[in-house]
């Protein structure tokens, strides 16, 4: 029987990072993965493949605007979806292979199979051929992630009525893709197929898309995507999704109680994700699981079993790969007797559309609800020299700062390269910077990052220089 100091169940970003950090700290470490490839949802059917398709489709879209830059392309420019999907898979394979390399490099033992508890210190690994073995471990980290959610009345056939997993490997560009859910995943994949020529309609129950982010970001992204051709049906409650042959019919009720009907050849159900604990047998370890399948943890991510921890999508909080990574490192360091800490307010959120959307800290809506006195400063990308030079003038940066202390409370941005620019805001807020602190930092010219400095100036006595 194999014995380890730490065993991690699940090899997604949270799990494999936890395993690496445990190994770095001197623990004999094992990791269990039910699939044949490492990396979990993020690397295989989530973050990485969706960004690969977003990148490929973005290149195609840019071709349509080459003439604006004095570049004339003659002849037919065609989309080869099969090659695009193949490239996506090559990126996935390379990335997953990189995780396997890291496991080998750090002497982490990998078990392929379904991990399920036999007790708080033993896990059974059931392999694909039905055989099994038992692993003994002093400590166990649950990192089993999440799966796409659906609605009770929707029958997912994974052919025409699909989840994000199937949307990453379609064999044709849809004529009309009806997306149920206007969150991050639906909007990103919607833009992929919009660029490739599909008609895209988004049905959202809330009154705006990306409802978890600052309302100003939602408004701007809606405006830009409408300009690109995407259609939105916000404040609409889906009533039914039916398939007849190659036609999928979605019926939804609007705020007035009227029923609208949308017909497409594909419908992407993108209504969030659910924690995945199926087959874990957590009760055998004395680990409490909520009705939603979420594992209960304390502030140290410790479950009701003192030697069992849980991280990532399977516990409370935002379902983000980088949040899971931080939690994986935190648990490893706690096991080593260290005292790490995560400020969940400073974990950024990103939407990888173009323009990109990124945010960290409090939204205006949250500050108002909490009764916090604040000041706001914004700067539009269209006033930025670098943005005009590149032709990416949509969007803005908004900084929210405490009205009395000037400490930055939230940064919200939409525009080119915001997924990378948000790191500056996270750094500033981690060190409790004021808006004036940011405004007095030198930013290279011409860059997109200058929008952050200008927004900080705007929040500091309304003294932006270039607008």
């Amino acid at each position: 029987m194999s014995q380890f100091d730490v065993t991690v169940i699940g090899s997604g970003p949270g799990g494999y990072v936890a395993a690496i950090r445990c190994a770095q700290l001197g623990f004999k470490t094992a990791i269990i993965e039910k699939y044949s490839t490492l990396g979990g949802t993020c690397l295989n059917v989530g973050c990485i493949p969706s960004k690969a398709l977003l990148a490929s489709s973005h290149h195609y879209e840019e071709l349509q605007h080459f003439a604006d830059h004095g570049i004339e392309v003659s002849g037919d420019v065609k989309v080869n979806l099969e090659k695009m999907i193949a490239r996506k898979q090559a990126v996935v394979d390379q990335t997953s292979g990189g995780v396997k390399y890291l496991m080998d490099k750090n002497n982490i033992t990998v078990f392929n199979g379904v991990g399920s508890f036999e007790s708080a210190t033993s896990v059974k690994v059931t392999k694909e051929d039905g055989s099994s073995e038992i692993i003994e471990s002093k400590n166990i980290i649950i990192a089993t992630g999440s799966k796409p959610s659906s609605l009770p009345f929707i029958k997912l056939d994974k052919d025409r009525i699909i989840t994000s997993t199937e949307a990453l490997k379609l064999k044709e560009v849809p004529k009309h893709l009806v997306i149920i859910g206007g969150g991050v995943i639906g909007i990103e994949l919607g833009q992929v197929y919009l660029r490739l020529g599909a008609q895209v309609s988004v049905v959202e129950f809330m009154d705006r898309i990306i409802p978890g982010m600052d309302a100003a970001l939602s408004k701007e992204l809606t405006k830009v995507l409408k300009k690109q051709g995407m259609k939105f049906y916000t404040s609409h409650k889906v009533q039914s999704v039916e398939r007849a042959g190659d036609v999928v019919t979605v019926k939804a009720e609007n705020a007035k109680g009227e029923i609208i009907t949308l017909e497409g050849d594909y419908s992407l159900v993108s209504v969030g994700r659910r924690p995945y604990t199926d087959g874990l047998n957590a009760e055998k370890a004395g680990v409490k699981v909520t009705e939603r399948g979420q594992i209960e943890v304390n502030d140290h991510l410790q479950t009701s079993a003192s030697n069992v921890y849980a991280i990532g999508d399977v516990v409370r909080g935002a379902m983000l790969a980088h949040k899971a990574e931080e939690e994986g490192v935190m648990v490893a360091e706690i096991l080593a007797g260290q005292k790490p800490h995560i400020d969940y307010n400073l974990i950024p959120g990103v939407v990888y559309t173009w323009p990109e959307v990124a945010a960290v800290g409090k939204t205006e809506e949250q500050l108002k609800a909490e009764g916090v006195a604040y000041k706001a400063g914004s700067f539009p990308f269209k006033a930025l020299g670098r943005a005009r030079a590149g032709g990416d003038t949509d969007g803005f940066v908004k900084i929210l700062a405490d009205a009395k202390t000037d400490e930055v409370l939230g940064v919200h941005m939409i525009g080119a390269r915001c997924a990378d620019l948000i790191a500056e805001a996270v750094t500033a807020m981690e060190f409790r910077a004021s808006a004036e602190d940011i405004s007095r930092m030198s930013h290279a010219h011409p860059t997109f990052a200058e929008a952050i400095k200008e927004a900080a100036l705007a929040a500091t006595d309304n003294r932006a220089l270039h607008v």
Side-chain angles (χ1 to χ4, degrees):
M1 186 181 295
S2 301
Q3 295 189 332
F4 297 91
D5 297 318
V6 183
T7 296
V8 182
I9 305 176
S11 72
Y16 83 73
V17 167
I20 291 171
R21 188 67 184 120
C22 284
Q24 287 177 341
L25 291 166
F27 294 113
K28 184 182 178 183
T29 306
I31 193 164
I32 303 169
E33 173 53 55
K34 66 180 289 188
Y35 295 111
S36 59
T37 58
L38 301 177
T41 292
C42 177
L43 269 64
N44 290 281
V45 290
C47 323
I48 300 303
S50 62
K51 302 316 163 277
L53 290 181
L54 279 162
S56 295
S57 62
H58 186 54
H59 288 314
Y60 177 68
E61 183 185 46
E62 283 187 312
L63 270 173
Q64 321 306 315
H65 304 286
F66 272 13
D68 298 340
H69 294 268
I71 303 170
E72 296 181 3
V73 179
S74 59
D76 292 335
V77 178
K78 297 178 181 178
V79 170
N80 187 324
L81 186 62
E82 184 179 356
K83 283 188 176 180
M84 196 176 285
I85 298 291
R87 177 191 174 273
K88 177 265 303 180
Q89 191 58 46
V91 172
V92 168
D93 293 344
Q94 183 181 18
T95 309
S96 178
V99 176
K100 178 64 170 67
Y101 163 78
L102 291 171
M103 298 300 99
D104 294 340
K105 176 188 174 185
N106 290 281
N107 297 313
I108 297 164
T109 304
V110 177
F111 292 89
N112 282 107
V114 176
S116 59
F117 283 100
E118 290 291 297
S119 72
T121 56
S122 62
V123 179
K124 180 166 75 171
V125 181
T126 304
K127 301 174 185 178
E128 198 171 353
D129 62 7
S131 63
S132 64
E133 62 180 303
I134 303 293
I135 297 172
E136 287 292 326
S137 189
K138 293 177 186 176
N139 299 286
I140 297 167
I141 302 173
I142 302 169
T144 47
S146 62
K147 293 286 184 182
S149 295
S150 185
L151 297 173
F153 54 85
I154 297 178
K155 183 180 179 181
L156 295 167
D157 63 17
K158 299 188 178 182
D159 180 33
R160 296 278 171 177
I161 303 174
I162 61 176
T163 70
S164 56
T165 300
E166 294 76 48
L168 293 167
K169 53 185 180 182
L170 292 181
K171 291 181 170 57
E172 63 179 351
V173 175
K175 297 179 183 68
H176 183 193
L177 176 62
V178 180
I179 300 174
I180 300 171
V184 176
I185 297 170
I187 295 299
E188 287 183 356
L189 290 172
Q191 192 178 50
V192 167
Y193 289 106
L194 181 74
R195 290 166 172 168
L196 301 182
Q199 178 186 342
V200 177
S201 299
V202 178
V203 182
E204 168 58 45
F205 176 73
M206 302 294 283
D207 62 355
R208 57 190 176 91
I209 62 170
I210 53 170
M213 303 187 87
D214 192 276
L217 298 180
S218 172
K219 183 179 179 181
E220 181 73 4
L221 183 61
T222 300
K223 184 182 78 174
V224 173
L225 292 177
K226 278 185 175 179
K227 190 167 61 176
Q228 294 175 4
M230 197 175 288
K231 295 181 180 178
F232 296 97
Y233 299 85
T234 53
S235 299
H236 278 66
K237 183 179 181 180
V238 173
Q239 300 293 315
S240 65
V241 181
E242 303 290 344
R243 176 183 175 181
D246 291 345
V247 178
V248 179
T249 302
V250 177
K251 292 187 177 180
E253 182 182 2
N254 65 19
K256 298 178 181 178
E258 302 164 337
I259 301 295
I260 66 143
T261 301
L262 296 171
E263 287 190 350
D265 50 341
Y266 290 88
S267 180
L268 167 59
V269 181
S270 182
V271 292
R273 300 182 64 84
R274 64 174 181 86
Y276 185 71
T277 51
D278 300 9
L280 189 61
N281 292 334
E283 67 280 357
K284 286 190 176 182
V287 172
K288 290 183 180 178
V289 181
T290 69
E291 291 180 1
R292 293 182 57 248
Q294 196 175 72
I295 293 176
E296 293 184 6
V297 291
N298 62 18
D299 290 343
H300 293 150
L301 299 169
Q302 188 178 38
T303 71
S304 46
S306 62
N307 69 310
V308 180
Y309 295 76
I311 63 173
D313 289 4
V314 82
V315 302
R316 62 176 180 255
M319 290 185 173
L320 298 169
H322 46 285
K323 177 254 197 187
E325 289 188 16
E326 295 301 323
E327 290 179 333
V329 170
M330 177 173 161
V331 168
E333 293 178 351
I334 286 172
L335 291 174
Q338 299 179 19
K339 297 183 184 296
H341 170 71
I342 297 173
D343 186 343
Y344 285 94
N345 184 53
L346 298 186
I347 292 178
V350 179
V351 187
Y352 293 89
T353 50
W354 197 265
E356 293 174 331
V357 186
V360 65
K362 300 289 188 179
T363 66
E364 278 207 65
E365 293 74 31
Q366 287 172 327
L367 293 177
K368 287 175 182 175
E370 294 168 11
V372 177
Y374 69 93
K375 51 187 180 178
S378 293
F379 188 80
F381 272 52
K382 65 184 178 184
L384 207 60
R386 181 64 186 273
R388 286 196 299 272
D392 289 304
T393 55
D394 289 319
F396 60 85
V397 174
K398 178 170 73 172
I399 291 180
L400 307 173
D402 188 281
K404 294 180 180 178
T405 66
D406 197 37
E407 180 180 349
V408 177
L409 304 176
V411 180
H412 308 275
M413 54 180 74
I414 174 170
R417 307 186 188 180
C418 284
D420 298 300
L421 293 177
I422 197 64
E424 177 180 338
V426 176
T427 303
M429 291 178 67
E430 184 69 48
F431 288 94
R432 306 284 300 269
S434 66
E436 185 175 1
D437 287 334
I438 296 175
S439 75
R440 292 189 179 278
M441 290 164 50
S442 178
H443 287 64
H445 174 76
T447 60
F448 288 100
E450 286 178 285
I452 299 175
K453 176 181 176 119
E454 290 280 357
L457 282 166
T460 308
D461 302 323
N462 195 27
R463 54 188 183 90
L465 298 168
H466 290 91
V467 68

